[in-house]
Amino acid sequence: MRYKYIFGPVPSRRLGVSLGIDLVMSKTCNLNCVYCECGKTDKLYNERKEYVNAEEVLNEVKDFLDKKPYLDYITFSGSGEPTLNSKLGYLIDEIKKITDTKIAILTNGTLFYNDKLIEEVKNADVIVPSLDAVSEEIFYKINRPNKELKIEKIINGLVNLRKNYKGKINLEIFIIDKLNDTKEELDKFKDVILKINPDKVQLNSLDRPPVESWVKPVEIDKLNEIIKYWGLDNVEVIKKYKVRRAIKSYSENLESEILNMLAKRPCTIKDLEFITCLKAVEINKYLDVLEKEKKIESYIGERGIFIRLKS
Ligand code: SF4
């Protein structure tokens, strides 16, 4: 069976060996984050609906699980925002009926003002919502949202999620130099973190080339300084894999396939998605390794960010 909606398993920094489920087509999102690794959001969606057929998704998951693979998590993530799919809750419940594997949701966290969504996700084991800004101005600069979204409403939604959801919440904050790491924003962040009360806060910074080339990675020392400044005991830096090969789901075949493509010509992430039928999120895991091993490099070309073999 050739899968359209599930991908991986991918070696995930946060979740170990994770089978991905993409509930929207590339790229359906209500944000257009400057650091997005899946490319620009051409149209901002904010309506919850069945963007892809839930029964087809479920059939793929069943087919995959029949092979008894090793998995740490089944994760809703992919080429856009999974909570936009109105069948998310149905799928969580149906998957729970057929496997004991834990379920995670990687989400931009913008839609929890919707009580129905909070009810739908109640059986997920872990929710990883992002929150990159706590003031409206910074929210617009970093996340460039659909106009219906307001940061106060989003924060209240996350507070409400915490009150009503019994699983783990790991709040992810993507730090961008001189934007959300100012003293003023960090002070507001601390108040909001205390209000939301997540199990963990995970600080992240740039790993792969972003949509906007002016977004630069923040050094790990800077992230550690932020942790010290806040003085909260549940904040950590997301660990980067140094050797992803050591992870069970790393596929040497996929790596060769990507390297063969790049040997022919430089490609964008979209080119690689098209040629390999993999999702951007999956391709990026391999590019991380290859970049760290100095086998490939990125540059800005006419159609955006290209990846080529390093000479
Ligand atoms: S990073 Fe996530 S939330 Fe932001 S634009 Fe990309 S897919 Fe959407």
Side-chain angles (χ1 to χ4, degrees), residues 27 29 31-33 35-39 41 78-81 108 143:
K27 185 198 166 188
C29 197
L31 301 181
N32 179 22
C33 305
Y35 59 79
C36 186
E37 295 175 352
C38 301
T41 314
S79 351
E81 175 47 37
N108 64 23
N143 304 111

Side-chain angles (χ1 to χ4, degrees), residues 1-223:
M1 185 175 191
R2 181 109 195 164
Y3 299 129
K4 202 165 148 197
Y5 308 110
I6 66 173
F7 57 95
V10 291
S12 158
R13 274 184 264 162
R14 293 164 287 197
L15 301 166
V17 179
S18 162
L19 177 73
I21 305 181
D22 199 352
L23 286 189
V24 292
M25 299 315 287
S26 180
K27 185 198 166 188
T28 308
C29 197
N30 51 3
L31 301 181
N32 179 22
C33 305
V34 292
Y35 59 79
C36 186
E37 295 175 352
C38 301
K40 199 167 169 278
T41 314
D42 293 322
K43 186 173 171 204
L44 291 162
Y45 296 84
N46 204 42
E47 185 194 356
R48 296 197 70 218
K49 62 179 188 185
E50 192 174 351
Y51 285 93
V52 299
N53 185 284
E55 295 311 322
E56 286 180 24
V57 174
L58 198 55
N59 284 340
E60 289 191 6
V61 175
K62 282 179 182 159
D63 184 79
F64 187 82
L65 292 178
D66 279 347
K67 297 172 195 147
K68 311 261 175 276
Y70 176 84
L71 289 177
D72 294 311
Y73 276 92
I74 293 175
T75 307
F76 291 94
S77 64
S79 351
E81 175 47 37
T83 61
L84 278 170
N85 193 309
S86 53
K87 289 289 182 121
L88 174 64
Y90 166 77
L91 283 165
I92 293 171
D93 293 345
E94 290 303 306
I95 292 170
K96 279 280 173 192
K97 287 180 193 163
I98 54 174
T99 179
D100 293 332
T101 306
K102 287 185 178 162
I103 292 183
I105 306 171
L106 304 190
T107 167
N108 64 23
T110 50
L111 295 175
F112 292 109
Y113 59 81
N114 180 335
D115 291 342
K116 186 171 176 300
L117 174 63
I118 295 183
E119 172 62 22
E120 277 179 43
V121 299
K122 66 177 184 306
N123 289 327
D125 298 276
V126 183
I127 299 179
V128 185
S130 300
L131 184 70
D132 305 321
V134 283
S135 60
E136 200 70 8
E137 187 200 344
I138 305 292
F139 179 47
Y140 270 78
K141 280 187 181 156
I142 297 179
N143 304 111
R144 304 184 296 192
N146 175 290
K147 59 179 179 345
E148 287 171 31
L149 296 170
K150 298 283 171 259
I151 198 65
E152 203 184 332
K153 194 168 152 187
I154 292 170
I155 292 169
N156 289 339
L158 290 168
V159 172
N160 215 13
L161 174 72
R162 172 73 297 170
K163 281 188 190 143
N164 293 286
Y165 166 73
K166 304 285 172 261
K168 280 204 163 57
I169 298 178
N170 297 340
L171 189 73
E172 181 175 326
I173 303 173
F174 192 99
I175 299 290
I176 299 182
D177 193 30
K178 298 187 182 59
L179 269 184
N180 58 356
D181 62 346
T182 61
K183 187 178 173 305
E184 196 190 352
E185 194 72 0
L186 289 179
D187 288 343
K188 284 191 202 158
F189 253 123
K190 184 172 177 179
D191 292 343
V192 168
I193 291 168
L194 290 170
K195 227 167 119 189
I196 297 174
N197 190 24
D199 294 272
K200 265 191 219 163
V201 178
Q202 299 182 305
L203 300 187
N204 201 357
S205 125
L206 202 62
D207 215 12
R208 305 268 343 118
V211 171
E212 303 298 346
S213 55
W214 54 263
V215 181
K216 301 289 176 224
V218 170
E219 296 300 324
I220 189 135
D221 289 353
K222 172 80 195 181
L223 299 178

